[in-house]
Amino acid sequence: MGRVMRRMARGALLGARGNSGVIVSQILRGMADTFATMASARGGDLARALRTASEAAYAAVARPVEGTVLSVVAAAAEGAGRIKSDDLITVARAAALSAAEALARTPQQLPVLARAGVVDAGGRGLVVLLDALVEALSDPDGEILEIEALGNPERKALGTADYGYEVQYLLDATPAHTDVLRATLDGLGDSLVVVGTGEGSPPTWNVHVHVDVDHIGAAIEAGLDAGRPYRISVMRLEDHLHDHAAPPEPAVTTPAPPADPTPEEHRRGAVVVAAGDGLTSLFADEGAVVVGRNPSTAEMLSAIAATRARQVVLLPNDANTHAVATSAAREAADRGVRVSVVPTRSPVQALASLAVRDPGRRFDDDVIAMAEAAGACRYGEVTTAAREALTVAGRCRPGDLLGLVDGEVHVIVTPGAGAGKRDADAGEGHGAGTRDGGAGKRDPGTGSGRTASGDDLAEVSRRLLDRMLGGGGELVSLVLGADAPPALEDLLRAHIARVWPFVEVQCYAGGQPRYHLLVGVE
């Protein structure tokens, strides 16, 4: 049974689509350790397995935060441990019930969840698994048709004003050296996680910490002191406030294989995460393999294999996909493929990275150049708010048009309120305009009572461009979304030519969903 559980844990890791999924896979691995020598399990065994899983999950996080999946697994273990019975179904029901109760409490423990009116996504995922276990034990011969999950999940924003940079790397080191590393990194920042694979000599560890800009080098040097760090990545953390709807099934788009005289061991490839026919075609023309938005680790691995290269660059184009890309890079290394992750946050940064690729350079130097190009490209987005939220630009409501710079809302325009009636513009005060009280009525069930016109979209786009170019820039890339009106490109080109005459403009029909416009400024 332990072997089956280990396969389940590995499958969960390969299927993880974000940090919470990776943590749940570690919980399953902790349970697998308990079941390692068992042919079958009783209620007491399940209770011990949940306790081991909870302890392992907490031990992996330097400063555990309540209101997350950690709270839910701890409650499940406690609920199972209270049952004075060795009956498996009785203990499983107690664990599932306690987990569901803990999930319902997560908004009371984390203010960000309370403001959004949602429960923790990772905790909800664990509740679904425990409910499925109860269903399977209740009717082993039956078919599980549906498992009801509680509440709505929300991807939590990471990073604080004090520690705004994420440092991650893989590390080959002994447990004794990682103990010293934990103590060192704990003094440098927060959100510290050091998780070992339990395999290899010395074992491989995944190291993650948030630090300020002055301690990025120190965090990496601590890894050098502990062992052999590799696949080092550093990125700035920003909040994403827009809705994260369930994506369509990711698909891998492979470019036609060019004639390549390069020896296989030196052949290079690129994998890009993107959505939209235009963007997919654009990246494929650059020789990249494109995988759909929000891919799993297994889908990432499939895309890496599709490059038919031994040296591959991954461009995740989303903060949450970065953890999945890192997991895929580690798995690919076991297959003899060298993979580096360039922490792009938007397709426009991926375009900037691919533009500087040079196969004549050493692979490491090429990755550095691509990362520098991505970091030098500021990215903006225009989207429609799906729910009410408090942003740095003021309060937005469903149906408002939002202009975001580097993931943070800077411009809010209320459709139908007129150019002079806007909610707020970051830097101009929260009282820069007034909300329309008549035409602004909305359906509280769908949030779609107001429809943005082409003029509204042009207005928020112009103001977003002015805000971004106000900080400098020579090249602007515009990527039009699937629902962008035909006249938008000409309107924005005319605005830039009039207000920013020395700026070069490139425009693409991206066809991406959810974002009416993507903007890159270099």
Side-chain angles (χ1 to χ4, degrees):
M1 193 170 65
R3 181 169 176 266
V4 174
M5 281 295 297
R6 284 193 179 279
R7 285 176 175 265
M8 183 178 180
R10 178 174 173 77
L13 179 63
L14 293 177
R17 298 181 185 274
N19 296 328
S20 293
V22 174
I23 292 174
V24 170
S25 74
Q26 294 297 315
I27 291 172
L28 292 173
R29 184 184 165 199
M31 296 179 69
D33 290 341
T34 302
F35 295 141
T37 60
M38 297 180 186
S40 61
R42 302 293 300 169
D45 300 323
L46 177 59
R48 285 191 296 274
L50 287 170
R51 186 168 61 249
T52 300
S54 177
E55 292 170 353
Y58 272 88
V61 181
R63 298 175 186 174
V65 176
E66 299 303 324
T68 65
V69 65
L70 295 176
S71 303
V72 177
V73 70
E78 183 179 353
R82 285 197 301 262
I83 300 301
K84 305 304 180 183
S85 170
D86 204 29
D87 180 63
L88 184 57
I89 182 62
T90 301
V91 174
R93 282 177 177 152
L97 178 60
S98 296
E101 292 172 347
L103 177 65
R105 291 194 297 269
T106 56
Q108 303 169 24
Q109 297 170 300
L110 276 182
V112 65
L113 300 180
R115 287 196 297 270
V118 295
V119 297
D120 177 72
R124 185 181 113 162
L126 185 59
V127 167
V128 170
L129 287 176
L130 292 172
D131 284 348
L133 174 62
V134 171
E135 286 287 327
L137 293 174
S138 300
D139 186 8
D141 298 322
E143 179 182 358
I144 299 176
L145 298 178
E146 181 178 356
I147 298 295
E148 181 181 358
L150 302 178
N152 295 315
E154 171 72 5
R155 184 183 306 170
K156 296 180 294 300
L158 300 178
T160 64
D162 294 329
Y163 305 113
Y165 289 81
E166 178 186 67
V167 178
Q168 278 189 292
Y169 48 83
L170 299 180
L171 176 72
D172 291 340
T174 64
H177 284 97
T178 56
D179 289 342
V180 177
L181 175 66
R182 280 192 184 94
T184 302
L185 295 180
D186 192 36
L188 297 178
D190 66 3
S191 297
L192 172 62
V193 180
V194 180
V195 177
T197 62
E199 302 170 353
S201 181
T204 300
W205 308 79
N206 196 323
V207 180
H208 169 283
V209 67
H210 293 174
V211 297
D212 60 27
V213 66
D214 295 328
H215 289 96
I216 294 173
I220 297 173
E221 289 172 4
L224 290 168
D225 292 338
R228 185 177 76 89
Y230 54 101
R231 285 184 173 69
I232 301 169
S233 68
V234 179
M235 72 173 179
R236 186 161 62 92
L237 294 159
E238 295 128 351
D239 294 347
H240 281 262
L241 297 177
H242 20 290
D243 177 60
H244 296 273
E249 280 297 314
V252 176
T253 303
T254 309
D260 190 355
T262 307
E264 182 179 348
E265 62 270 18
H266 299 301
R267 197 172 297 161
R268 296 181 186 176
V271 174
V272 183
V273 178
D277 292 341
L279 277 174
T280 298
S281 177
L282 194 62
F283 287 126
D285 289 344
E286 291 292 326
V289 173
V290 183
V291 62
R293 187 169 59 89
N294 201 26
S296 68
T297 308
E299 289 160 344
M300 275 283 204
L301 286 171
S302 176
I304 292 171
T307 66
R308 297 177 292 277
R310 309 304 293 177
Q311 298 174 332
V312 180
V313 174
L314 299 186
L315 305 171
N317 294 339
D318 181 83
N320 199 54
T321 305
H322 184 267
V324 174
T326 301
S327 296
R330 184 174 66 183
E331 292 289 330
D334 295 338
R335 306 177 186 184
V337 181
R338 188 179 180 193
V339 179
S340 289
V341 180
V342 175
T344 52
R345 308 295 293 273
S346 169
V348 293
Q349 290 185 323
L351 288 172
S353 289
L354 292 173
V356 301
R357 276 198 306 173
D358 183 357
R361 280 193 293 242
R362 292 175 58 250
F363 180 65
D364 289 343
D365 293 338
D366 210 28
V367 171
I368 291 172
M370 294 177 70
E372 288 175 344
C377 177
R378 300 181 70 204
Y379 68 94
E381 301 152 330
V382 176
T383 188
T384 300
R387 57 181 170 78
E388 185 170 348
L390 183 62
T391 76
V392 296
R395 185 175 297 279
C396 71
R397 295 178 180 173
D400 284 348
L401 285 171
L402 307 180
L404 298 93
V405 180
D406 292 345
E408 189 172 81
V409 176
H410 279 243
V411 181
I412 303 175
V413 168
T414 301
K421 292 185 178 181
R422 60 189 185 273
D423 291 343
D425 193 345
E428 296 180 6
H430 292 179
T434 60
R435 183 174 300 279
D436 178 21
K441 291 180 180 178
R442 62 194 185 282
D443 178 0
T446 64
S448 58
R450 293 170 294 174
T451 301
S453 66
D455 291 341
D456 294 322
L457 184 56
E459 170 70 11
V460 71
S461 299
R462 283 193 294 262
R463 286 165 53 193
L464 176 66
L465 284 167
D466 290 344
R467 182 160 296 280
M468 296 182 71
L469 289 171
E474 300 173 347
L475 173 65
V476 170
S477 298
L478 304 176
V479 182
L480 303 176
D483 59 355
L488 183 60
E489 177 183 350
D490 292 340
L491 289 172
L492 296 183
R493 283 185 179 275
H495 175 75
I496 294 173
R498 183 177 65 257
V499 181
W500 309 97
F502 301 107
V503 173
E504 181 183 349
V505 180
Q506 295 178 339
C507 191
Y508 308 98
Q512 70 275 3
R514 297 172 55 222
Y515 298 105
H516 313 299
L517 178 70
L518 299 176
V519 179
V521 173
E522 303 171 58

mmCIF file of all heavy atoms in Angstrom, residues 16-49:
data_model
loop_
_atom_site.group_PDB
_atom_site.id
_atom_site.type_symbol
_atom_site.label_atom_id
_atom_site.label_comp_id
_atom_site.label_asym_id
_atom_site.label_seq_id
_atom_site.Cartn_x
_atom_site.Cartn_y
_atom_site.Cartn_z
ATOM 1 N N ALA A 16 0.070 19.073 -10.022
ATOM 2 C CA ALA A 16 -0.125 20.325 -9.278
ATOM 3 C C ALA A 16 -0.104 21.521 -10.211
ATOM 4 O O ALA A 16 0.750 21.629 -11.081
ATOM 5 C CB ALA A 16 0.963 20.464 -8.219
ATOM 6 N N ARG A 17 -1.067 22.441 -10.026
ATOM 7 C CA ARG A 17 -1.135 23.647 -10.842
ATOM 8 C C ARG A 17 -0.823 24.892 -10.015
ATOM 9 O O ARG A 17 -1.247 25.982 -10.339
ATOM 10 C CB ARG A 17 -2.519 23.769 -11.486
ATOM 11 C CG ARG A 17 -2.840 22.632 -12.411
ATOM 12 C CD ARG A 17 -4.212 22.788 -13.056
ATOM 13 N NE ARG A 17 -4.549 21.627 -13.853
ATOM 14 C CZ ARG A 17 -4.200 21.458 -15.121
ATOM 15 N NH1 ARG A 17 -3.505 22.392 -15.731
ATOM 16 N NH2 ARG A 17 -4.544 20.377 -15.783
ATOM 17 N N GLY A 18 -0.105 24.748 -8.927
ATOM 18 C CA GLY A 18 0.257 25.889 -8.090
ATOM 19 C C GLY A 18 0.856 25.434 -6.782
ATOM 20 O O GLY A 18 1.029 24.236 -6.529
ATOM 21 N N ASN A 19 1.173 26.390 -5.912
ATOM 22 C CA ASN A 19 1.854 26.087 -4.655
ATOM 23 C C ASN A 19 1.021 25.193 -3.747
ATOM 24 O O ASN A 19 1.549 24.278 -3.102
ATOM 25 C CB ASN A 19 2.204 27.394 -3.929
ATOM 26 C CG ASN A 19 3.187 28.234 -4.715
ATOM 27 O OD1 ASN A 19 4.020 27.702 -5.427
ATOM 28 N ND2 ASN A 19 3.067 29.535 -4.603
ATOM 29 N N SER A 20 -0.283 25.445 -3.673
ATOM 30 C CA SER A 20 -1.129 24.633 -2.796
ATOM 31 C C SER A 20 -1.134 23.175 -3.228
ATOM 32 O O SER A 20 -1.124 22.268 -2.396
ATOM 33 C CB SER A 20 -2.565 25.183 -2.789
ATOM 34 O OG SER A 20 -2.606 26.447 -2.183
ATOM 35 N N GLY A 21 -1.150 22.948 -4.536
ATOM 36 C CA GLY A 21 -1.116 21.573 -5.030
ATOM 37 C C GLY A 21 0.171 20.864 -4.663
ATOM 38 O O GLY A 21 0.170 19.671 -4.343
ATOM 39 N N VAL A 22 1.283 21.602 -4.695
ATOM 40 C CA VAL A 22 2.562 21.009 -4.313
ATOM 41 C C VAL A 22 2.537 20.628 -2.831
ATOM 42 O O VAL A 22 3.023 19.566 -2.435
ATOM 43 C CB VAL A 22 3.717 21.980 -4.612
ATOM 44 C CG1 VAL A 22 5.040 21.436 -4.082
ATOM 45 C CG2 VAL A 22 3.833 22.211 -6.114
ATOM 46 N N ILE A 23 1.941 21.483 -1.988
ATOM 47 C CA ILE A 23 1.867 21.186 -0.552
ATOM 48 C C ILE A 23 0.994 19.955 -0.314
ATOM 49 O O ILE A 23 1.327 19.089 0.504
ATOM 50 C CB ILE A 23 1.321 22.406 0.217
ATOM 51 C CG1 ILE A 23 2.339 23.547 0.169
ATOM 52 C CG2 ILE A 23 1.015 22.044 1.672
ATOM 53 C CD1 ILE A 23 1.840 24.841 0.777
ATOM 54 N N VAL A 24 -0.138 19.849 -1.019
ATOM 55 C CA VAL A 24 -1.004 18.671 -0.858
ATOM 56 C C VAL A 24 -0.245 17.406 -1.260
ATOM 57 O O VAL A 24 -0.402 16.351 -0.632
ATOM 58 C CB VAL A 24 -2.295 18.837 -1.681
ATOM 59 C CG1 VAL A 24 -3.078 17.528 -1.726
ATOM 60 C CG2 VAL A 24 -3.172 19.929 -1.072
ATOM 61 N N SER A 25 0.592 17.489 -2.276
ATOM 62 C CA SER A 25 1.372 16.308 -2.666
ATOM 63 C C SER A 25 2.342 15.912 -1.559
ATOM 64 O O SER A 25 2.610 14.723 -1.351
ATOM 65 C CB SER A 25 2.138 16.587 -3.963
ATOM 66 O OG SER A 25 3.242 17.455 -3.754
ATOM 67 N N GLN A 26 2.848 16.894 -0.810
ATOM 68 C CA GLN A 26 3.729 16.584 0.319
ATOM 69 C C GLN A 26 2.943 15.929 1.454
ATOM 70 O O GLN A 26 3.450 15.054 2.167
ATOM 71 C CB GLN A 26 4.400 17.865 0.823
ATOM 72 C CG GLN A 26 5.360 18.493 -0.165
ATOM 73 C CD GLN A 26 6.547 17.603 -0.482
ATOM 74 O OE1 GLN A 26 7.160 17.023 0.405
ATOM 75 N NE2 GLN A 26 6.865 17.483 -1.757
ATOM 76 N N ILE A 27 1.690 16.343 1.629
ATOM 77 C CA ILE A 27 0.828 15.715 2.636
ATOM 78 C C ILE A 27 0.604 14.245 2.280
ATOM 79 O O ILE A 27 0.687 13.355 3.136
ATOM 80 C CB ILE A 27 -0.508 16.473 2.731
ATOM 81 C CG1 ILE A 27 -0.272 17.864 3.358
ATOM 82 C CG2 ILE A 27 -1.533 15.682 3.540
ATOM 83 C CD1 ILE A 27 -1.491 18.762 3.323
ATOM 84 N N LEU A 28 0.342 13.967 1.014
ATOM 85 C CA LEU A 28 0.151 12.580 0.586
ATOM 86 C C LEU A 28 1.424 11.765 0.777
ATOM 87 O O LEU A 28 1.377 10.584 1.129
ATOM 88 C CB LEU A 28 -0.286 12.549 -0.879
ATOM 89 C CG LEU A 28 -1.685 13.097 -1.177
ATOM 90 C CD1 LEU A 28 -1.927 13.173 -2.679
ATOM 91 C CD2 LEU A 28 -2.758 12.245 -0.510
ATOM 92 N N ARG A 29 2.558 12.400 0.560
ATOM 93 C CA ARG A 29 3.810 11.686 0.760
ATOM 94 C C ARG A 29 4.019 11.350 2.240
ATOM 95 O O ARG A 29 4.521 10.281 2.599
ATOM 96 C CB ARG A 29 4.983 12.522 0.247
ATOM 97 C CG ARG A 29 6.293 11.783 0.350
ATOM 98 C CD ARG A 29 7.457 12.629 -0.069
ATOM 99 N NE ARG A 29 8.683 11.991 0.395
ATOM 100 C CZ ARG A 29 9.825 12.622 0.525
ATOM 101 N NH1 ARG A 29 9.909 13.901 0.263
ATOM 102 N NH2 ARG A 29 10.897 11.987 0.939
ATOM 103 N N GLY A 30 3.623 12.285 3.135
ATOM 104 C CA GLY A 30 3.720 11.996 4.560
ATOM 105 C C GLY A 30 2.850 10.816 4.957
ATOM 106 O O GLY A 30 3.244 9.983 5.788
ATOM 107 N N MET A 31 1.663 10.717 4.354
ATOM 108 C CA MET A 31 0.795 9.563 4.622
ATOM 109 C C MET A 31 1.426 8.279 4.084
ATOM 110 O O MET A 31 1.351 7.219 4.696
ATOM 111 C CB MET A 31 -0.577 9.790 3.992
ATOM 112 C CG MET A 31 -1.338 10.967 4.577
ATOM 113 S SD MET A 31 -2.948 11.227 3.791
ATOM 114 C CE MET A 31 -3.830 9.781 4.388
ATOM 115 N N ALA A 32 2.074 8.382 2.920
ATOM 116 C CA ALA A 32 2.721 7.211 2.325
ATOM 117 C C ALA A 32 3.805 6.655 3.238
ATOM 118 O O ALA A 32 4.017 5.439 3.304
ATOM 119 C CB ALA A 32 3.304 7.571 0.962
ATOM 120 N N ASP A 33 4.504 7.526 3.964
ATOM 121 C CA ASP A 33 5.548 7.061 4.887
ATOM 122 C C ASP A 33 4.949 6.180 5.979
ATOM 123 O O ASP A 33 5.550 5.186 6.392
ATOM 124 C CB ASP A 33 6.272 8.260 5.509
ATOM 125 C CG ASP A 33 7.138 9.005 4.505
ATOM 126 O OD1 ASP A 33 7.465 8.410 3.454
ATOM 127 O OD2 ASP A 33 7.466 10.180 4.755
ATOM 128 N N THR A 34 3.745 6.540 6.453
ATOM 129 C CA THR A 34 3.098 5.740 7.496
ATOM 130 C C THR A 34 2.665 4.381 6.950
ATOM 131 O O THR A 34 2.759 3.357 7.634
ATOM 132 C CB THR A 34 1.872 6.491 8.047
ATOM 133 O OG1 THR A 34 2.296 7.755 8.565
ATOM 134 C CG2 THR A 34 1.207 5.699 9.164
ATOM 135 N N PHE A 35 2.199 4.368 5.720
ATOM 136 C CA PHE A 35 1.677 3.134 5.127
ATOM 137 C C PHE A 35 2.764 2.277 4.458
ATOM 138 O O PHE A 35 2.450 1.291 3.803
ATOM 139 C CB PHE A 35 0.615 3.475 4.064
ATOM 140 C CG PHE A 35 -0.614 4.130 4.626
ATOM 141 C CD1 PHE A 35 -1.236 5.165 3.939
ATOM 142 C CD2 PHE A 35 -1.151 3.718 5.835
ATOM 143 C CE1 PHE A 35 -2.382 5.767 4.449
ATOM 144 C CE2 PHE A 35 -2.287 4.316 6.350
ATOM 145 C CZ PHE A 35 -2.905 5.341 5.659
ATOM 146 N N ALA A 36 4.031 2.652 4.624
ATOM 147 C CA ALA A 36 5.115 2.042 3.837
ATOM 148 C C ALA A 36 5.161 0.524 3.956
ATOM 149 O O ALA A 36 5.432 -0.173 2.982
ATOM 150 C CB ALA A 36 6.454 2.645 4.252
ATOM 151 N N THR A 37 4.906 -0.027 5.149
ATOM 152 C CA THR A 37 5.064 -1.476 5.356
ATOM 153 C C THR A 37 3.732 -2.188 5.541
ATOM 154 O O THR A 37 3.708 -3.346 5.965
ATOM 155 C CB THR A 37 5.946 -1.718 6.585
ATOM 156 O OG1 THR A 37 5.328 -1.120 7.729
ATOM 157 C CG2 THR A 37 7.329 -1.119 6.384
ATOM 158 N N MET A 38 2.622 -1.502 5.235
ATOM 159 C CA MET A 38 1.306 -2.088 5.491
ATOM 160 C C MET A 38 0.691 -2.669 4.228
ATOM 161 O O MET A 38 0.850 -2.124 3.140
ATOM 162 C CB MET A 38 0.353 -1.025 6.058
ATOM 163 C CG MET A 38 0.786 -0.459 7.391
ATOM 164 S SD MET A 38 -0.419 0.779 7.953
ATOM 165 C CE MET A 38 0.415 1.404 9.411
ATOM 166 N N ALA A 39 -0.019 -3.760 4.389
ATOM 167 C CA ALA A 39 -0.790 -4.332 3.281
ATOM 168 C C ALA A 39 -2.203 -3.769 3.260
ATOM 169 O O ALA A 39 -2.856 -3.741 2.220
ATOM 170 C CB ALA A 39 -0.833 -5.847 3.395
ATOM 171 N N SER A 40 -2.702 -3.352 4.433
ATOM 172 C CA SER A 40 -4.023 -2.734 4.533
ATOM 173 C C SER A 40 -4.000 -1.815 5.743
ATOM 174 O O SER A 40 -3.069 -1.851 6.544
ATOM 175 C CB SER A 40 -5.125 -3.789 4.683
ATOM 176 O OG SER A 40 -4.911 -4.532 5.880
ATOM 177 N N ALA A 41 -5.016 -0.974 5.868
ATOM 178 C CA ALA A 41 -5.033 0.021 6.936
ATOM 179 C C ALA A 41 -6.328 -0.039 7.719
ATOM 180 O O ALA A 41 -7.405 -0.285 7.160
ATOM 181 C CB ALA A 41 -4.847 1.422 6.351
ATOM 182 N N ARG A 42 -6.212 0.202 9.029
ATOM 183 C CA ARG A 42 -7.368 0.336 9.907
ATOM 184 C C ARG A 42 -7.528 1.813 10.290
ATOM 185 O O ARG A 42 -6.739 2.672 9.878
ATOM 186 C CB ARG A 42 -7.186 -0.531 11.166
ATOM 187 C CG ARG A 42 -6.980 -2.006 10.897
ATOM 188 C CD ARG A 42 -8.219 -2.657 10.319
ATOM 189 N NE ARG A 42 -9.348 -2.529 11.243
ATOM 190 C CZ ARG A 42 -10.610 -2.810 10.928
ATOM 191 N NH1 ARG A 42 -10.899 -3.213 9.690
ATOM 192 N NH2 ARG A 42 -11.579 -2.681 11.815
ATOM 193 N N GLY A 43 -8.541 2.091 11.104
ATOM 194 C CA GLY A 43 -8.815 3.469 11.487
ATOM 195 C C GLY A 43 -7.655 4.123 12.210
ATOM 196 O O GLY A 43 -7.298 5.275 11.946
ATOM 197 N N GLY A 44 -7.027 3.391 13.124
ATOM 198 C CA GLY A 44 -5.892 3.956 13.857
ATOM 199 C C GLY A 44 -4.724 4.277 12.938
ATOM 200 O O GLY A 44 -3.997 5.255 13.156
ATOM 201 N N ASP A 45 -4.537 3.439 11.910
ATOM 202 C CA ASP A 45 -3.460 3.691 10.959
ATOM 203 C C ASP A 45 -3.713 4.987 10.181
ATOM 204 O O ASP A 45 -2.785 5.768 9.930
ATOM 205 C CB ASP A 45 -3.351 2.523 9.976
ATOM 206 C CG ASP A 45 -3.048 1.205 10.678
ATOM 207 O OD1 ASP A 45 -2.274 1.221 11.661
ATOM 208 O OD2 ASP A 45 -3.598 0.162 10.248
ATOM 209 N N LEU A 46 -4.978 5.205 9.786
ATOM 210 C CA LEU A 46 -5.309 6.440 9.070
ATOM 211 C C LEU A 46 -5.075 7.652 9.959
ATOM 212 O O LEU A 46 -4.558 8.679 9.499
ATOM 213 C CB LEU A 46 -6.754 6.392 8.594
ATOM 214 C CG LEU A 46 -7.266 7.664 7.887
ATOM 215 C CD1 LEU A 46 -6.430 7.976 6.648
ATOM 216 C CD2 LEU A 46 -8.742 7.521 7.508
ATOM 217 N N ALA A 47 -5.449 7.559 11.232
ATOM 218 C CA ALA A 47 -5.235 8.675 12.150
ATOM 219 C C ALA A 47 -3.747 8.986 12.278
ATOM 220 O O ALA A 47 -3.342 10.159 12.269
ATOM 221 C CB ALA A 47 -5.843 8.349 13.517
ATOM 222 N N ARG A 48 -2.905 7.948 12.403
ATOM 223 C CA ARG A 48 -1.464 8.177 12.501
ATOM 224 C C ARG A 48 -0.903 8.766 11.208
ATOM 225 O O ARG A 48 -0.021 9.632 11.232
ATOM 226 C CB ARG A 48 -0.755 6.863 12.835
ATOM 227 C CG ARG A 48 -0.910 6.430 14.282
ATOM 228 C CD ARG A 48 0.027 5.275 14.622
ATOM 229 N NE ARG A 48 -0.297 4.063 13.859
ATOM 230 C CZ ARG A 48 -1.205 3.177 14.245
ATOM 231 N NH1 ARG A 48 -1.886 3.365 15.371
ATOM 232 N NH2 ARG A 48 -1.444 2.102 13.511
ATOM 233 N N ALA A 49 -1.434 8.296 10.068
ATOM 234 C CA ALA A 49 -0.959 8.810 8.783
ATOM 235 C C ALA A 49 -1.277 10.300 8.627
ATOM 236 O O ALA A 49 -0.439 11.076 8.152
ATOM 237 C CB ALA A 49 -1.593 8.023 7.642
#
